[in-house]
Amino acid sequence: MFLHSVNLGNLAFYVLMVFMATLGLWDVFFGFEENKCSMSYMFEYPEYQKIELPKKLAKRYPAYELYLYGEGSYAEEHKILPLTGIPVLFLPGNAGSYKQVRSIGSIALRKAEDIDFKYHFDFFSVNFNEELVALYGGSLQKQTKFVHECIKTILKLYKGQEFAPKSVTIIGHSMGGLVARALLTLKNFKQDLINLLVTQATPHIAPVMPLDRFITDFYMTVNNYWILNARDINLTTLSVAGGFRDYQVRSGLTFLPKLSHHTSALSVVSSAVPKTWVSTDHLSIVWCKQLQLTTVRAFFDLIDADTKQITENSKKKLSVLTHHFIRHPSKHFEENPAIISDLTGTSMWVPVKVSKWTYVAYNESDKIYFTFPLANHRKIYTHVYCQSTMLDTNSWIFGCINSTSMCRQGVDLSWKAELLPTIKSLTLRLQDYPSLSHLVVYVPSIHGIKFVVDCEFFKKEKRSIQLPVTHLFSFGLSSRKVVLNTSGLYYNIELLNFGQIYQAFKINVVSKCSAVKEEITSIYKLHIPWSYEDSLTIAQAPSNTEISLKLHIAQPENDSHVALLKMYTSSDCRYEVTVKTSFSQILGQVVRFHGGALPAYVVSSILLAYGGQLYSLFSTGYCLEYATILDKEAKPYKVDPFVIMTKFLLGYKWFKELWDTLLLPELEAIFLTSQSMCFPLVSLILFLFGTCTAYWSGLLSSASVRLLSSLWLALKRPSELPKDIKIISPDLPFLTIVLIIVSWTTCGALAILLSYLYYVFKIVHLQASLTTFKNSQPVNPKHSRRSEKKSNHHKDSIAHHLRLSANDAEDSLRMHSTVINLLTWIVLLSMPSLIYWLKNLRYYFKLTPDPCKPLAFILIPTMAILGNTYTVSIKSSKLLKTASQFPLPLAVGVIAFGSTHLYRVPCFVIIPLLLHALCNFM
């Protein structure tokens, strides 16, 4: 019956929407590179030693614990406290385990063994009982206070030691990173207790799914504190994101608030981290060997030789993190590197006068200095580029000042080089170094190792090529192409008009090489100058390589930089670069950045249909089918213009003052604009997706009710339609009181779920009664029509007795179908707190604080009454017209205030439901 009410055109539209949504979901969940992380392994059996906490603390936090990680002999030695190392505290995130500290703890232990335990780290980990803090924010403050107590407990373990630490380093995964930042908001917390904060895949900007107000309040408190006190916060912070593989926390959320950037804060995507160069998913970021090795190297470089603890020098901390996580010059970190180097010893000096030079080194017996005089090259070329496949950490390129052919000392330019997976490279603009007379490339004496060094001088305009990206609405049907015909080693492709998160493209790089015996490697680096989210692609030429081009962070309005495709190529190959729009990846960006708002758009569509049904009942006396009224009423022009107009008016001071006077919350569209997330047609796309979801969810709920009624008839004796309608049955007040008590003493979401099940039971029972009645009627259609007319006449004659006919029952079921859809979304949005409560039931019988308790107190009696409500009992109500007018403004309100604050959505839904219930009495 549900499908019969929709014409084929609408059905085709809903199928198309499913197809488009599937494309977007596929891009988010599968449209990324394979997992290239190497697994980290232990060499000895891991042990987690439980640290005994003070009795009062253990009693206050019975579900939380503190552990010390160890392996083998180290674990045995440190069972006898106190400790002598450098403390590091690991904080797991949502549903995270304290055992996730194993990877970095094991790698750090191996590193300490390599230096004979001159320095070593003690890794502690907090057991948060795998709480679902991303779904329920009521325990975030409790976790924060417990971590504060853990830090004080940890520092006491070093009491009396010669080099006792005064602070700890914190590594926070996911929500654990936010808890670490929240420490600074505690009244009695001393900032000096933390010397370094590293967060991994932590959503700093906003929660992924704001399902209760406690999460959003916690975020607001933390971010406001860090922004307002940015000048006073001297905590070096590093935030590492996982890239596109992490579909749980998109990388844009992990970048620390912009106003705190003048403090010691860095935000980077793992694909841009030197020696890592891989995207990680939400869990692998804690065990990815490449990333953990980089982190441990940074930790050891941060040690102060005098205190044998992490340095207190903020400048050095930022320098070390920049060296390891932003730009690695293929040299070991030095706090004050020697700029001038001695070029002495027995060696050959070979002058090179050509503009393009290659040297293959193999079994070199002597050191060789190749010198490039710059005077003549300055007249013709603007830049010089050099690269070496020798990936050691020694200096390899220098600049001589006022020299003729050789120099005893040179400026070490190796610090300006950049490490890439297969080469280290250096690009210099000649006019920036007017005092240099020669460029010197050093080739050491080696045995058994073969490597290649290349240098070339070039003009910038011949190697910087502009490639405008295709239009958003070209849908991949058109493309733009550049051909690199010159035999250069390095090119910059400037990707013009690319800087918004809703843009997504596919870049194809085709390399064609002349006959060469050896394997040729090319590197394509996508460089985003306004954020550290670069990504690298390694290709073996000749090849056809596809690169995805999309952003985590939109280009700021005041930023004029251009995104670049840096190509490290071979002189034996020719390259062709093509860019075209990727429609599926655009849909992926919509889902990635706005998928969390979909429930609000679904509910908005259902509310519009609900209002249409109530008005149909008021004006015609009967209810239209859910699918029919959804197609008629759920139109984006009924919602979006009001939101757009309000956003426009808020630009005027008088309207903004009036808005603030009325204590109205911030418009969601303004928040999205501030995050550069409000792009063209996104609201329309989401509304269409929401309507499609509302349609299919209606189909599912209708089918579910029919299936359950069939099961009911199979298991139970057929029931009859109720002869007399009773709005308040004898057991209804008792049931309502019991459920309210359940809500008060346990969990509000549990009471809401039980009320919902009661409501569904009533509807299933009504459907079963109607089916029984229809099956008992004569098959003769003429007789059926006469019976129906007689039934209607009989109903009109005794309407004051409110007897229920088959038509009334069908009408009521149509209305209940829509109400079930609305209630289902309320239940789904309240489920996280119920799941949290069930998981912690052995520790706490009552959920405190409970985000659903106020909602439950109103919703329980409302659902109880609606379960006994029939259209015949409300169609003559004086309140029905008012009730039918409310869903439209509330549908607008859901989009205006609930798309990024989902916990507000039930508040808008409950108002028309309450009015509907009151129609029985007015």
Side-chain angles (χ1 to χ4, degrees):
M1 183 177 289
F2 188 92
L3 284 171
H4 293 164
S5 60
V6 180
N7 62 47
L8 290 177
N10 290 335
L11 188 60
F13 168 75
Y14 291 135
V15 172
L16 175 64
M17 288 296 103
V18 170
F19 174 71
M20 290 176 60
T22 303
L23 284 179
L25 290 169
W26 179 269
D27 180 70
V28 171
F29 292 108
F30 304 102
F32 42 70
E33 65 182 48
E34 62 181 5
N35 193 349
K36 297 178 182 177
C37 278
S38 300
M39 176 63 80
S40 52
Y41 296 98
M42 305 86 63
F43 290 88
E44 297 176 277
Y45 190 79
E47 292 188 34
Y48 303 88
Q49 180 184 347
K50 186 176 178 180
I51 303 298
E52 189 175 346
L53 299 172
K55 290 183 179 180
K56 287 185 179 180
L57 188 62
K59 188 176 181 180
R60 196 185 315 160
Y61 305 100
Y64 301 161
E65 297 169 322
L66 177 65
Y67 287 88
L68 171 65
Y69 177 80
E71 294 177 19
S73 58
Y74 169 86
E76 290 297 324
E77 291 172 6
H78 289 82
K79 284 182 179 178
I80 305 173
L81 304 173
L83 304 173
T84 58
I86 303 168
V88 178
L89 178 60
F90 176 80
L91 304 180
N94 176 59
S97 169
Y98 66 94
K99 294 183 179 180
Q100 289 174 312
V101 73
R102 176 197 61 78
S103 295
I104 192 168
S106 182
I107 291 172
L109 185 58
R110 299 285 84 78
K111 177 76 172 175
E113 287 178 348
D114 291 342
I115 59 174
D116 295 324
F117 284 94
K118 180 182 177 182
Y119 310 113
H120 74 273
F121 289 88
D122 300 318
F123 278 84
F124 297 85
S125 185
V126 174
N127 178 16
F128 285 134
N129 191 35
E130 300 184 10
E131 289 183 335
L132 302 171
V133 288
L135 303 180
Y136 169 74
S139 63
L140 285 168
Q141 190 68 20
K142 184 169 59 175
Q143 286 190 1
T144 306
K145 292 178 179 179
F146 180 74
V147 172
H148 183 199
E149 298 297 332
C150 285
I151 293 172
K152 293 188 286 187
T153 300
I154 289 169
L155 293 178
K156 287 178 182 177
L157 299 178
Y158 296 85
K159 196 172 183 180
Q161 299 300 305
E162 182 181 358
F163 298 101
K166 298 178 181 177
S167 58
V168 301
T169 295
I170 294 182
I171 301 175
H173 173 238
S174 189
M175 295 297 287
L178 187 70
V179 168
R181 288 180 61 219
L183 286 167
L184 274 64
T185 66
L186 299 178
K187 289 183 180 180
N188 300 321
F189 185 80
K190 297 178 181 178
Q191 190 183 136
D192 296 339
L193 291 177
I194 309 176
N195 52 50
L196 175 67
L197 172 59
V198 178
T199 66
Q200 298 172 335
T202 296
H204 291 295
I205 299 294
V208 177
M209 291 288 284
L211 295 171
D212 66 54
R213 63 181 178 85
F214 304 121
I215 295 179
T216 53
D217 289 348
F218 190 81
Y219 265 90
M220 189 177 295
T221 300
V222 173
N223 285 332
N224 284 348
Y225 182 89
W226 276 66
I227 291 171
L228 295 174
N229 299 277
R231 298 185 183 279
D232 301 322
I233 295 176
N234 193 32
L235 174 59
T236 303
T237 308
L238 170 70
S239 175
V240 183
F244 287 109
R245 277 194 64 85
D246 188 352
Y247 51 77
Q248 294 186 46
V249 176
R250 62 178 179 83
S251 297
L253 291 176
T254 67
F255 281 65
L256 291 159
K258 295 177 181 179
L259 291 180
S260 66
H261 279 189
H262 65 271
T263 63
S264 302
L266 287 175
S267 300
V268 63
V269 179
S270 62
S271 60
V273 175
K275 295 190 176 184
T276 300
W277 296 307
V278 296
S279 177
T280 65
D281 60 53
H282 196 63
L283 292 179
S284 68
I285 198 169
V286 299
W287 56 255
C288 182
K289 186 176 180 180
Q290 296 96 312
L291 183 59
Q292 300 310 322
L293 280 169
T294 299
T295 306
V296 168
R297 292 189 200 106
F299 280 5
F300 275 89
D301 281 343
L302 285 165
I303 297 173
D304 188 319
D306 296 329
T307 63
K308 293 189 177 181
Q309 295 292 327
I310 296 293
T311 180
E312 295 181 2
N313 186 333
S314 298
K315 187 177 180 181
K316 179 182 177 180
K317 284 189 276 192
L318 199 60
S319 297
V320 169
L321 295 178
T322 302
H323 177 92
H324 287 282
F325 287 89
I326 305 298
R327 186 183 178 92
H328 198 296
S330 190
K331 288 179 68 65
H332 291 307
F333 174 79
E334 295 179 26
E335 187 174 359
N336 298 302
I339 302 300
I340 304 299
S341 298
D342 293 328
L343 307 180
T344 57
T346 305
S347 55
M348 294 175 57
W349 287 79
V350 180
V352 180
K353 296 183 179 180
V354 295
S355 61
K356 188 172 183 179
W357 168 84
T358 298
Y359 183 78
V360 180
Y362 184 67
N363 285 338
E364 300 293 332
S365 57
D366 297 319
K367 300 176 183 177
I368 306 175
Y369 288 103
F370 293 93
T371 62
F372 298 80
L374 300 179
N376 291 330
H377 290 309
R378 291 183 193 276
K379 298 175 184 177
I380 306 172
Y381 306 105
T382 59
H383 289 71
V384 60
Y385 170 81
C386 290
Q387 67 180 33
S388 172
T389 59
M390 180 72 165
L391 301 182
D392 63 353
T393 57
N394 296 317
S395 297
W396 62 287
I397 190 164
F398 307 88
C400 285
I401 300 174
N402 300 325
S403 174
T404 53
S405 60
M406 60 179 288
C407 55
R408 293 185 177 276
Q409 288 186 323
V411 179
D412 192 350
L413 299 173
S414 307
W415 290 102
K416 298 186 179 296
E418 180 182 13
L419 178 65
L420 294 168
T422 58
I423 59 172
K424 52 186 178 184
S425 67
L426 174 69
T427 305
L428 296 177
R429 190 168 69 164
L430 295 176
Q431 72 177 47
D432 292 341
Y433 300 89
S435 61
L436 296 186
S437 59
H438 287 74
L439 188 69
V440 179
V441 175
Y442 170 62
V443 175
S445 59
I446 55 171
H447 298 282
I449 300 176
K450 183 179 180 180
F451 67 96
V452 181
V453 184
D454 299 277
C455 284
E456 65 173 354
F457 291 85
F458 62 87
K459 288 184 178 180
K460 180 185 177 182
E461 55 269 21
K462 289 190 176 182
R463 299 298 175 85
S464 294
I465 301 166
Q466 294 185 340
L467 177 61
V469 297
T470 49
H471 194 271
L472 179 68
F473 297 110
S474 63
F475 299 107
L477 301 176
S478 62
S479 62
R480 292 195 173 119
K481 179 171 67 176
V482 293
V483 179
L484 312 180
N485 286 318
T486 58
S487 57
L489 297 171
Y490 173 75
Y491 294 90
N492 264 341
I493 309 296
E494 298 180 3
L495 302 168
L496 303 181
N497 308 319
F498 173 62
Q500 301 301 322
I501 58 171
Y502 56 82
Q503 294 177 298
F505 307 92
K506 286 182 180 178
I507 296 179
N508 268 83
V509 182
V510 179
S511 56
K512 300 175 181 179
C513 306
S514 56
V516 289
K517 296 181 180 179
E518 296 184 0
E519 192 177 70
I520 297 175
T521 300
S522 299
I523 300 174
Y524 312 131
K525 179 180 180 179
L526 179 61
H527 175 60
I528 309 300
W530 54 84
S531 64
Y532 298 120
E533 54 176 285
D534 297 2
S535 59
L536 277 76
T537 303
I538 302 173
Q540 303 300 327
S543 63
N544 187 338
T545 306
E546 184 176 283
I547 304 170
S548 290
L549 180 61
K550 51 194 174 188
L551 294 171
H552 298 292
I553 297 286
Q555 185 175 16
E557 291 183 4
N558 57 351
D559 193 298
S560 59
H561 291 94
V562 178
L564 300 173
L565 177 65
K566 294 186 175 184
M567 300 180 63
Y568 302 86
T569 57
S570 169
S571 57
D572 296 317
C573 302
R574 299 295 178 268
Y575 296 82
E576 184 178 285
V577 183
T578 306
V579 61
K580 62 180 179 179
T581 300
S582 174
F583 182 63
S584 62
Q585 292 189 63
I586 290 174
L587 293 174
Q589 290 293 80
V590 171
V591 173
R592 183 174 288 109
F593 283 85
H594 297 278
L598 185 61
Y601 284 87
V602 176
V603 170
S604 180
S605 295
I606 300 174
L607 279 173
L608 290 172
Y610 185 38
Q613 277 189 328
L614 289 172
Y615 186 77
S616 170
L617 184 64
F618 166 75
S619 58
T620 65
Y622 65 91
C623 240
L624 292 175
E625 280 282 357
Y626 171 74
T628 304
I629 202 70
L630 183 70
D631 174 56
K632 180 181 177 182
E633 297 293 334
K635 305 295 183 184
Y637 61 78
K638 292 186 175 184
V639 175
D640 280 347
F642 292 99
V643 178
I644 294 169
M645 189 184 304
T646 305
K647 180 186 173 185
F648 172 76
L649 290 173
L650 281 170
Y652 292 94
K653 186 177 179 181
W654 65 269
F655 191 81
K656 183 68 171 67
E657 290 176 351
L658 176 63
W659 188 274
D660 294 337
T661 303
L662 296 173
L663 301 178
L664 293 172
E666 183 182 42
L667 200 67
E668 305 287 45
I670 292 178
F671 171 78
L672 294 174
T673 302
S674 68
Q675 299 296 319
S676 301
M677 288 171 55
C678 201
F679 54 84
L681 302 181
V682 66
S683 186
L684 174 62
I685 295 171
L686 287 173
F687 194 94
L688 295 177
F689 283 173
T691 305
C692 172
T693 306
Y695 167 76
W696 291 110
S697 65
L699 177 62
L700 180 63
S701 65
S702 179
S704 299
V705 167
R706 291 177 182 276
L707 177 62
L708 290 172
S709 67
S710 299
L711 291 173
W712 176 264
L713 290 173
L715 298 173
K716 193 100 172 161
R717 191 178 66 182
S719 53
E720 299 178 353
L721 289 173
K723 294 180 180 179
D724 294 312
I725 297 174
K726 295 180 180 179
I727 305 303
I728 300 180
S729 57
D731 60 337
L732 197 61
F734 174 75
L735 180 65
T736 303
I737 293 170
V738 168
L739 289 174
I740 288 176
I741 292 173
V742 169
S743 172
W744 181 263
T745 57
T746 58
C747 172
L750 174 64
I752 290 174
L753 178 62
L754 294 175
S755 301
Y756 173 76
L757 294 176
Y758 168 78
Y759 181 83
V760 171
F761 167 76
K762 296 290 290 186
I763 307 313
V764 168
H765 187 269
L766 178 60
Q767 178 68 60
S769 301
L770 180 62
T771 303
T772 303
F773 177 81
K774 285 185 173 181
N775 292 338
S776 65
Q777 295 301 300
V779 181
N780 187 336
K782 293 182 179 180
H783 180 76
S784 296
R785 281 193 291 269
R786 283 197 303 269
S787 299
E788 189 174 320
K789 290 178 181 178
K790 185 177 179 181
S791 174
N792 288 337
H793 175 75
H794 178 70
K795 179 182 68 175
D796 293 336
S797 64
I798 57 171
H800 57 279
H801 291 296
L802 293 180
R803 297 176 65 88
L804 190 67
S805 68
N807 284 345
D808 292 329
E810 286 187 347
D811 241 14
S812 299
L813 282 171
R814 294 188 192 107
M815 182 66 74
H816 285 307
S817 174
T818 308
V819 174
I820 279 182
N821 272 331
L822 285 173
L823 292 176
T824 299
W825 284 99
I826 291 181
V827 171
L828 289 175
L829 291 173
S830 64
M831 277 299 98
S833 61
L834 175 61
I835 295 170
Y836 178 91
W837 175 76
L838 289 171
K839 197 172 184 302
N840 291 273
L841 192 55
R842 57 177 172 162
Y843 300 107
Y844 314 104
F845 186 72
K846 182 179 180 180
L847 182 63
T848 305
D850 188 346
C852 296
K853 189 176 291 182
L855 178 68
F857 287 166
I858 303 174
L859 197 58
I860 289 169
T862 302
M863 277 198 280
I865 294 171
L866 288 177
N868 290 333
T869 297
Y870 304 94
T871 53
V872 67
S873 63
I874 65 168
K875 63 174 62 177
S876 59
S877 170
K878 296 178 181 178
L879 193 60
L880 182 58
K881 183 178 180 180
T882 304
S884 68
Q885 294 171 341
F886 262 79
L888 174 59
L890 292 171
V892 176
V894 166
I895 303 303
F897 303 111
S899 57
T900 63
H901 294 79
L902 292 178
Y903 63 90
R904 293 174 180 167
V905 171
C907 301
F908 290 95
V909 174
I910 201 171
I911 295 172
L913 293 177
L914 183 61
L915 290 173
H916 185 175
L918 291 174
C919 286
N920 288 284
F921 308 104
M922 299 177 68

